[in-house]
Amino acid sequence: MNRDSFTYSGSPSRVVFGFGSVGRLTEEVDRLGVKKVLILSTPNQVGDAERLREILGSRAVGVYDGAVMHVPIETAREARRMAAELGADCAIAIGGGSTIGLGKAIALDSRLPIVAIPTTYAGSEMTPIYGLTENGVKKTGRDFRVLPKVVLYDPDLSVGLPPAVSIPSGINAIAHAAEALYAFDGNSVTSLMAEEGIRAMASALDTLRDDPRSRTAHWDAMYATWLCGSVLGQVSMGLHHKLCHTLGGSFDLPHAQTHAIMLPHTMAYNSEAATEAMEGLSRALGVGNGPQGLYDLLLRLGVPTALRQIGMPAGGLDQVAELAMSAPYPNPRPLKHEGIRALLQRAFDGAPPVA
Ligand code: NAD
């Protein structure tokens, strides 16, 4: 957090939160003044999309259920074409970051307003960040045209998430907030949101491990998703997001699991250069040492702690370290090849984090 001076811009999106908030969808669509809605989902969430079609009645003009991870440009073009052919004046994305990312790709091109209904904890719905993958390379950018106009958080929608998806997804949310705590462009409001987001998510995940359908834990996790996604949208991310982006993009590793495995190590790398942030992280987790607390949380939750467990080849670590050094980005501790290579090795092996 920058204590000298700061600029704060609140997100202009409208957030409707609570159990059953999907029931307010038609009200929200009418409030936007739109009449022809295209609904987006992944193939395995087409049932959720069809349920929205029923709720919307004649306002729904179609369902595009081809969303996939990392928004391939071909998928974006196909969905944009369908929106244009149907004369859609709004798109509703129901799902995780992949489906919301597809909505953003449509908005970038057409300025269609997006309504996002998140069902994971990735947090994309609160950010103006988009990504598009062309010829195997994912490019990201920031543009307020892609920020959803309305976000409906309905904790009932994530109750069916299997723990293998919900738990890494929750750590992915914690990662946004953890890096926000030391962002050079952070401020006291983003730090408050970040610390509360980490606290609420960590406590929700501990409950979800034993009781994956706990409605109170799903409420807490969605609340934390809103907080963590909001800070991701407002401040700059550092080493952690850069390394995860490189690992995911170059080796096609699963997004949320990669974040979960890397987080204790990237926090440990930055710990001595960001002591105030580490105090916030430790407070939020209720532990003495934030990075170790994150590692213990992963062990307790029973999710993978080693990159080798999720398909990372040992021979790729040098390349990731080099890519992480190749473009400058803000980070509290200066980037040193040796240090980054060493933290990647620990993450590969599943060893505890070392400051
Ligand atoms: P995802 O959207 O790919 O979802 C993972 C799988 O879970 C999908 O098959 C999905 O259909 C399924 N699923 C989602 N919700 C479900 C539910 N409630 N019940 C059953 N199945 C469900 O995964 P993700 O981690 O949410 O998103 C990852 C993508 O989002 C990545 O491409 C990442 O780069 C992007 N992302 C972008 C931002 C941003 O600000 N632009 C932020 C975070 C993540």
Side-chain angles (χ1 to χ4, degrees):
M1 176 172 77
N2 186 335
R3 287 208 170 268
D4 300 331
S5 63
F6 63 84
T7 307
Y8 176 74
S9 308
S11 166
S13 61
R14 175 177 164 88
V15 172
V16 179
F17 192 100
F19 288 121
S21 55
V22 155
R24 290 175 57 187
L25 183 58
T26 50
E27 190 190 315
E28 290 300 323
V29 163
D30 291 347
R31 211 177 152 273
L32 285 173
V34 296
K35 307 261 180 256
K36 293 177 152 196
V37 176
L38 175 65
I39 302 160
L40 311 171
S41 74
T42 58
N44 69 17
Q45 284 188 284
V46 67
D48 292 331
E50 290 298 340
R51 199 161 71 85
L52 295 190
R53 196 208 287 258
E54 273 171 38
I55 293 174
L56 289 166
S58 60
R59 296 172 184 85
V61 291
V63 168
Y64 178 84
D65 63 3
V68 287
M69 186 84 93
H70 302 314
V71 198
I73 188 75
E74 300 76 18
T75 311
R77 286 189 183 128
E78 196 176 43
R80 285 167 177 168
R81 201 161 42 241
M82 185 169 174
E85 280 168 11
L86 293 169
D89 58 5
C90 174
I92 297 183
I94 182 159
S98 299
T99 309
I100 293 167
L102 178 62
K104 289 175 163 182
I106 296 175
L108 186 67
D109 186 59
S110 64
R111 294 181 176 263
L112 241 55
I114 304 300
V115 176
I117 309 182
T119 63
T120 71
Y121 309 139
S124 172
E125 63 282 352
M126 291 309 299
T127 82
I129 306 164
Y130 64 89
L132 276 166
T133 305
E134 192 164 9
N135 299 324
V137 179
K138 184 169 180 179
K139 293 206 173 118
T140 59
R142 277 183 185 251
D143 191 316
F144 272 90
R145 278 180 295 177
V146 309
L147 183 74
K149 295 280 180 289
V150 182
V151 181
L152 287 179
Y153 282 109
D154 187 336
D156 274 334
L157 294 178
S158 62
V159 170
L161 267 182
V165 179
S166 64
I167 288 175
S169 185
I171 309 280
N172 182 196
I174 290 178
H176 308 328
E179 286 222 289
L181 285 173
Y182 55 54
F184 76 93
D185 47 1
N187 55 66
S188 54
V189 176
T190 53
S191 290
L192 275 172
M193 293 172 90
E195 198 173 316
E196 171 65 355
I198 296 169
R199 186 206 60 75
M201 184 60 85
S203 126
L205 294 181
D206 266 327
T207 305
L208 290 175
R209 176 199 52 190
D210 300 325
D211 182 5
R213 299 187 70 84
S214 160
R215 286 183 89 223
T216 49
H218 279 283
W219 193 101
D220 284 345
M222 275 286 177
Y223 160 66
T225 299
W226 167 54
L227 295 170
C228 297
S230 296
V231 294
L232 172 66
Q234 290 180 27
V235 302
S236 303
M237 296 288 113
L239 175 69
H240 174 80
H241 280 72
K242 173 72 181 179
L243 280 179
C244 292
H245 185 85
T246 306
L247 284 161
S250 308
F251 297 96
D252 203 24
L253 302 187
H255 174 82
Q257 287 91 330
T258 307
H259 272 271
I261 293 167
M262 292 304 297
L263 191 60
H265 304 283
T266 49
M267 288 300 114
Y269 182 88
N270 280 331
S271 59
E272 282 170 17
T275 47
E276 195 182 342
M278 292 306 133
E279 282 164 20
L281 178 63
S282 305
R283 242 187 337 262
L285 294 171
V287 298
N289 176 315
Q292 183 63 41
L294 288 168
Y295 185 75
D296 293 341
L297 181 67
L298 298 186
L299 292 179
R300 216 162 53 236
L301 295 173
V303 292
T305 52
L307 290 176
R308 63 176 159 66
Q309 290 171 281
I310 60 164
M312 179 68 198
L317 297 177
D318 288 330
Q319 185 190 335
V320 177
E322 266 145 45
L323 283 170
M325 298 292 301
S326 63
Y329 48 91
N331 192 61
R333 178 175 164 195
L335 304 175
K336 292 271 185 292
H337 184 276
E338 261 173 56
I340 291 173
R341 181 64 181 77
L343 87 81
L344 281 166
Q345 189 65 50
R346 280 193 292 278
F348 181 80
D349 295 333
V354 174

